Amino acid sequence: VQQRQLLQAQWAESMSAQARLLANNLQAAIAFSDPREAGRLLESLSVNPAIEAARVVLANGSEVAGYRGAGAAAAAFPEGDAGTQFLSAHLAVREPVFLPGLSAPVGRIELLVSLDQYHRTMRETIEDTLVLLLLGLAVSLLVTRYVVRRLTAPLEKLDALANRISQDGRLDARIRIR
């Protein structure tokens, strides 16, 4: 659970930082209503194969530019205003775009990030944890078996002596216990 939370926080922060950088760079394209420049900036996302789609949306809801990664399935952007939102197969990241001197955002950048690598990392973490757990269990069983044998061996010798005495009646029988 801790590993999952840490990994989610890292993914969210990494993608949010990329969205913030892109939001800063998109200021001029939005200020001058330049969809070609906005599209060119979105194309820079192609260096990150995890980003499947992105779009620039104005405050009124109209889309200025969009990006779809190579080989990315047509996934829809989820509704909402949350900064980061983990879905089953995607991470949705929204970052507002502010223009200098304005307090309200003039638009936002939205990223849709594939969680395939995240899921692979989680599977590997679970597999590694299970292997270590099974290894620890095996060592624990071996140590327990050894300790139990050392503790019960004198008692078993004493039991055997008591049985011998009860059968043959010889009271001079002795055992050696270290």
Side-chain angles (χ1 to χ4, degrees), residues 153-174:
L155 295 175
E156 288 174 357
K157 287 181 182 179
L158 192 57
D159 182 50
L161 176 65
N163 286 336
R164 231 178 316 136
I165 290 174
S166 69
Q167 288 175 358
D168 62 19
R170 292 188 51 213
L171 297 175
D172 61 337
R174 301 282 183 262

Side-chain angles (χ1 to χ4, degrees), residues 32-53:
F32 295 110
S33 300
D34 187 355
R36 204 170 95 219
E37 178 62 14
R40 188 187 68 74
L41 287 167
L42 290 180
E43 285 298 320
S44 70
L45 295 172
S46 65
V47 297
N48 187 342
I51 298 176
E52 289 187 358

Side-chain angles (χ1 to χ4, degrees), residues 3-137:
Q3 184 67 20
R4 182 176 57 108
Q5 289 172 343
L6 177 66
L7 198 55
Q8 281 183 350
Q10 287 174 343
W11 269 78
E13 181 53 38
S14 172
M15 291 301 126
S16 292
Q18 194 162 2
R20 276 192 302 276
L21 178 65
L22 201 52
N24 258 355
N25 292 337
L26 283 166
Q27 287 176 346
I30 290 177
F32 295 110
S33 300
D34 187 355
R36 204 170 95 219
E37 178 62 14
R40 188 187 68 74
L41 287 167
L42 290 180
E43 285 298 320
S44 70
L45 295 172
S46 65
V47 297
N48 187 342
I51 298 176
E52 289 187 358
R55 68 182 182 178
V56 178
V57 180
L58 295 178
N60 65 12
S62 64
E63 188 174 318
V64 175
Y67 163 80
R68 180 102 20 217
F77 286 90
E79 295 297 321
D81 295 325
T84 58
Q85 182 180 7
F86 277 89
L87 308 167
S88 60
H90 293 94
L91 168 65
V93 179
R94 292 176 189 87
E95 195 65 39
V97 177
F98 291 95
L99 292 181
L102 296 177
S103 60
V106 293
R108 68 181 179 272
I109 175 75
E110 295 182 356
L111 304 178
L112 200 57
V113 183
S114 169
L115 291 179
D116 289 344
Q117 180 62 39
Y118 165 80
H119 291 302
R120 256 192 310 279
T121 303
M122 283 305 300
R123 265 193 308 279
E124 290 170 3
T125 300
I126 290 171
E127 289 169 1
D128 292 348
T129 301
L130 285 175
V131 167
L132 288 174
L133 183 64
L134 290 175
L135 183 64
L137 183 62

Side-chain angles (χ1 to χ4, degrees), residues 131-147:
V131 167
L132 288 174
L133 183 64
L134 290 175
L135 183 64
L137 183 62
V139 168
S140 174
L141 288 173
L142 290 173
V143 168
T144 302
R145 187 174 179 181
Y146 173 76
V147 169

